[in-house]
């Protein structure tokens, strides 16, 4: 087992750096795909440009990875919607609709599988640097920056940091993760001069951490500080001085990154990069039982196939329900969401308790307070009153029925309250009406999917490297 920092880094590098054969295979498939697309698009729009983009163009992809990005640049005269539709129709025609899946970011794009590689074909505008019309227009300039400024060694260091962030669960800028994007990883490694140096910087920084890798704010430090105000991490996009590449990074992700960097430098291990979650369903059930965890899951059929929308709404639902449980006197210890982004969403809660006592002692005002008559009056007429208000040890009290008996009742109440569900679409409400609730160790069986099982393990034990 490698255990010095140097040895661990070497071992991970060996795993993440694609071999020459792998590089050649991927680039053969991509060139073929690009030529096919070029032929088609040149017929439709002679000015269109088809380019390999993303980590496969930058040389920062991880061995074994099967995702690639191809961008089609349209002249600006195209309407956004027409550009998207044309692209989707063409890709479907060329590769067959069964190999294509429609996805959405700022505009629609297509995922097509060619020889086991999943290629995102993304439309964007062919604009000059700095004159962006849509969110994906900066990408070609990002690629250019990385290719110009990062040496081959630094690109390998970016692979290490990417793998590290994936391992600790903070890789990806999507709403699901709110972590570090591929481009941000490249900029960090470039700014600090390597993987280990980035870890040291992450370990040692106090927010805000402000970086300007393109040197766009040279001699304008005050303006830069103003621009970064309010962010924990601000990394100025070298191709757009108004944009913070780290805007999507949540405090939670950044704090995990800092602590993991601290631990990795103190006790280097492969486990940061490749954490192992291998508890069986039986073992998980046993953990839930033996620790007496009050765990509850709600499985809801997915209501959209657009991941960012699904996750955004799922998190909103999660926090709304969490607040509702708190209002109904359930202490929420942990709340999490999981989804396969296709069939199901699971909202998961760990609570202080799942059943309420039969009666609750409810405190009123002290003796001789002017509020005593009102307190007595209020609770005498309350539906929840079990024992009339009475004085004892310096105060007035009453004994009430709990607001709800158990968590199932609370969730049903939530689902049938239009007040609680205000703002959620009909589609979501319809899905909610088909949801199922599990309490206790049966949450393990809520969804049949190994990724769900490992999600549950991560809820209870998020950082396997902690216990080493
Ligand atoms: N939501 C988005 N909005 C705008 N541009 C995006 C968005 N997502 C991705 N991009 C652009 O598309 C490119 C490819 O994105 P992707 O997430 O695949 O990153 P990557 O650098 O290829 O890393 P990875 O190795 O994880 O694929 C990025 O370089 C980025 O500039
Ligand atoms: Mg990519």
């Amino acid at each position: 087992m490698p255990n010095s920092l140097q040895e661990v880094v070497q071992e991970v590098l060996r795993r993440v750096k694609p071999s020459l054969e792998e590089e050649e295979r991927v680039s053969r498939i991509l060139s073929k795909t690009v030529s096919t697309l070029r032929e088609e698009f040149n017929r439709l729009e002679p000015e269109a440009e088809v380019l390999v983009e993303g980590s496969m163009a930058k040389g920062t992809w991880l061995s074994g990875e099967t995702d690639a990005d191809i961008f089609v640049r349209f002249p600006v005269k195209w309407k956004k919607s027409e550009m998207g539709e044309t692209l989707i129709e063409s890709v479907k025609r060329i590769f067959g609709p069964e190999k294509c899946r429609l996805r959405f970011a700022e505009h629609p794009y297509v995922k097509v599988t060619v020889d086991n590689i999943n290629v995102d074909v993304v439309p964007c505008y062919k604009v000059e640097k700095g004159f962006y019309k849509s969110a994906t227009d900066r990408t070609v300039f990002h690629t250019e920056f990385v290719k110009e400024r990062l040496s081959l060694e630094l690109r390998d260091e970016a692979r290490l940091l990417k793998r590290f962030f994936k391992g600790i669960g903070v890789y990806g800028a999507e709403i699901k993760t709110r972590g570090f994007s591929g481009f941000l990883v490249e900029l960090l490694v470039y700014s600090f001069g390597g993987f280990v140096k980035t870890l040291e910087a992450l370990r040692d920084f106090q927010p805000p951490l402000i970086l300007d890798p393109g040197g766009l704010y040279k001699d304008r430090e005050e303006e830069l500080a103003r621009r970064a105000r309010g962010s924990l991490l601000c990394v100025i996009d070298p191709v757009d001085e108004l944009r913070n590449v780290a805007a999507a990074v949540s405090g939670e992700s950044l704090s995990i990154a800092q602590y993991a960097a601290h631990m990795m430098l103190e006790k280097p291990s492969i486990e940061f990069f490749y954490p192992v979650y291998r508890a069986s369903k039986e073992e998980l059930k046993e953990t839930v039982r033996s620790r007496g965890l009050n765990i509850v899951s709600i499985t809801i059929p997915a209501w959209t196939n657009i991941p960012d929308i699904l996750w955004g709404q799922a998190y909103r639902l999660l926090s709304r329900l969490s607040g509702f449980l708190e209002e109904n006197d359930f202490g929420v210890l942990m709340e999490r969401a999981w989804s396969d982004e296709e069939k199901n969403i699971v909202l998961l809660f760990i609570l202080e308790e799942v059943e309420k006592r039969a009666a609750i002692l409810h405190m009123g005002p002290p003796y001789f307070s002017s509020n005593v008559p009102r307190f007595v009056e209020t609770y005498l007429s309350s539906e929840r009153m079990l024992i009339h208000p009475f004085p004892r040890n310096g105060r007035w009290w009453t004994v009430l029925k709990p607001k709800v008996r158990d968590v199932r009742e609370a969730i049903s109440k939530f689902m049938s309250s239009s007040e609680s569900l205000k703002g959620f679409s009909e589609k979501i409400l319809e899905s909610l009406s088909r949801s199922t609730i599990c309490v206790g160790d049966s949450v393990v069986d809520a969804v049949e999917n190994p990724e769900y099982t490992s999600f549950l393990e991560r809820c209870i034990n998020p950082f396997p490297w902690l216990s080493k």
Side-chain angles (χ1 to χ4, degrees):
M1 268 311 255
N3 42 29
S4 80
L5 184 58
Q6 201 52 32
E7 282 169 337
V8 171
V9 167
Q10 282 310 316
E11 172 59 20
V12 176
L13 191 57
R14 204 182 54 71
R15 297 195 201 178
V16 294
K17 198 174 153 71
S19 67
L20 219 54
E21 293 84 68
E22 193 180 2
E23 292 248 21
E24 278 170 8
R25 191 181 82 85
V26 165
S27 80
R28 206 169 43 242
I29 296 169
L30 286 180
S31 322
K32 200 175 70 189
T33 313
V34 167
S35 323
T36 317
L37 287 168
R38 251 183 214 151
E39 240 169 71
E40 174 77 11
F41 282 105
N42 279 349
R43 261 191 325 106
L44 292 167
E45 169 54 82
E47 284 179 51
E49 235 175 54
V50 183
L51 301 165
V52 176
E53 288 295 328
S55 56
M56 296 238 171
K58 295 179 279 189
T60 55
W61 57 288
L62 304 182
S63 169
E65 200 91 320
T66 51
D67 293 336
D69 312 276
I70 289 180
F71 277 54
V72 183
R73 297 181 85 202
F74 287 79
V76 293
K77 64 178 186 234
W78 282 71
K79 277 208 199 106
K80 231 180 235 184
S81 55
E82 284 170 10
M83 175 165 97
E85 269 165 38
T86 307
L87 178 112
I88 291 159
E89 285 315 311
S90 313
V91 174
K92 275 190 181 162
R93 200 164 47 238
I94 303 170
F95 298 97
E98 70 289 350
K99 292 214 175 110
C100 297
R101 280 186 56 198
L102 197 56
R103 297 322 286 277
F104 292 84
E106 195 213 48
H107 32 231
Y109 65 97
V110 201
K111 211 180 213 10
V112 53
T113 310
V114 189
D115 297 339
N116 292 326
I117 302 225
N118 303 315
V119 187
D120 287 351
V121 186
V122 183
C124 70
Y125 284 114
K126 197 168 160 183
V127 293
E128 297 285 318
K129 194 189 218 167
F131 296 88
Y132 310 114
K133 274 176 65 90
S134 80
T136 42
D137 298 350
R138 294 178 189 83
T139 298
V140 296
F141 301 103
H142 291 162
T143 306
E144 203 176 276
F145 182 86
V146 171
K147 282 162 85 173
E148 264 172 27
R149 305 286 192 99
L150 275 74
S151 63
L152 293 180
E153 287 74 30
L154 272 188
R155 297 187 210 178
D156 284 344
E157 302 274 308
R159 289 183 158 119
L160 290 169
L161 187 61
K162 199 180 269 193
R163 188 60 255 173
F164 182 77
F165 282 163
K166 282 195 176 197
I168 62 172
V170 299
Y171 183 71
E174 328 79 78
I175 293 174
K176 172 190 175 181
T177 312
R178 301 202 353 96
F180 299 76
S181 68
F183 187 47
L184 179 54
V185 163
E186 289 146 8
L187 292 178
L188 289 174
V189 163
Y190 173 69
S191 303
F192 295 117
F195 169 66
V196 172
K197 286 188 179 144
T198 304
L199 289 191
E200 287 165 351
L202 283 174
R203 177 193 60 191
D204 298 335
F205 90 99
Q206 276 298 311
L209 174 59
I210 305 172
L211 299 172
D212 177 22
L216 305 184
Y217 283 83
K218 202 162 173 299
D219 303 326
R220 289 193 289 154
E221 272 75 24
E222 270 176 32
E223 203 182 329
L224 178 58
R226 239 189 345 257
R227 167 113 266 131
R229 196 168 294 157
S231 23
L232 301 169
L233 176 61
C234 178
V235 181
I236 299 294
D237 189 333
V239 309
D240 186 347
E241 67 169 52
L242 297 180
R243 191 169 167 268
N244 173 10
V245 181
V249 181
S250 68
E252 192 178 333
S253 294
L254 192 57
S255 180
I256 292 172
Q258 178 165 71
Y259 181 56
H262 164 88
M263 289 301 286
M264 168 70 193
L265 291 167
E266 191 142 292
K267 273 186 172 179
S269 156
I270 289 277
E271 198 139 3
F272 292 93
F273 303 83
Y274 301 98
V276 189
Y277 299 98
R278 63 160 79 94
S280 67
K281 286 167 72 168
E282 236 0 274
E283 282 164 336
L284 276 176
K285 285 185 190 174
E286 183 47 36
T287 306
V288 170
R289 282 194 298 262
S290 64
R291 296 190 189 179
L293 293 177
N294 289 310
I295 194 162
V296 182
S297 71
I298 302 151
T299 310
I300 311 164
W303 53 83
T304 159
N305 57 3
I306 305 173
D308 261 3
I309 294 187
L310 190 69
W311 281 104
Q313 291 170 335
Y315 282 137
R316 213 145 62 81
L317 206 50
L318 187 72
S319 94
R320 193 79 71 84
L321 180 50
S322 181
F324 186 87
L325 289 172
E326 290 277 0
E327 274 165 33
N328 282 277
D329 303 324
F330 287 93
V332 175
L333 304 176
M334 180 184 267
E335 71 223 324
R336 290 274 186 277
W338 176 86
S339 178
D340 52 18
E341 300 184 348
E342 210 170 293
K343 293 197 207 104
N344 291 302
I345 287 272
V346 180
L347 306 183
L348 190 91
F349 293 93
I350 303 182
L351 304 172
E352 283 176 352
E353 71 269 274
V354 286
E355 271 178 45
K356 287 285 162 196
R357 284 154 294 162
I360 293 166
L361 184 63
H362 183 74
M363 189 172 79
Y367 292 169
F368 319 116
S369 154
S370 59
N371 288 328
V372 169
R374 213 174 57 201
F375 177 76
V376 174
E377 234 166 77
T378 306
Y379 284 98
L380 262 183
S381 57
S382 162
E383 276 176 19
R384 294 173 53 211
M385 188 267 295
L386 296 174
I387 299 178
H388 286 184
F390 58 87
R392 190 177 77 188
N393 290 341
R395 300 194 84 101
W396 281 75
W397 305 84
T398 184
V399 173
L400 299 176
K401 226 170 35 185
K403 289 183 187 153
V404 288
R405 281 252 303 288
D406 59 25
V407 68
R408 276 180 193 277
E409 194 182 321
I411 296 169
S412 309
K413 203 167 130 190
F414 174 80
M415 305 263 198
S416 56
S417 145
S418 49
E419 172 70 24
S420 309
L421 292 168
K422 206 151 65 194
F424 289 103
S425 69
E426 273 306 314
K427 248 179 166 175
I428 300 180
L429 300 187
E430 195 276 327
S431 276
L432 277 177
S433 72
R434 290 186 289 131
S435 59
T436 51
I437 303 171
C438 297
V439 180
D441 63 2
S442 65
V443 299
V444 175
D445 297 316
V447 173
E448 207 44 65
N449 186 324
E451 280 177 30
Y452 172 69
T453 315
S454 92
F455 156 79
L456 282 179
E457 188 177 352
R458 279 200 317 276
C459 284
I460 299 170
N461 175 20
F463 310 114
W465 35 267
L466 261 185
S467 43
K468 288 284 158 339

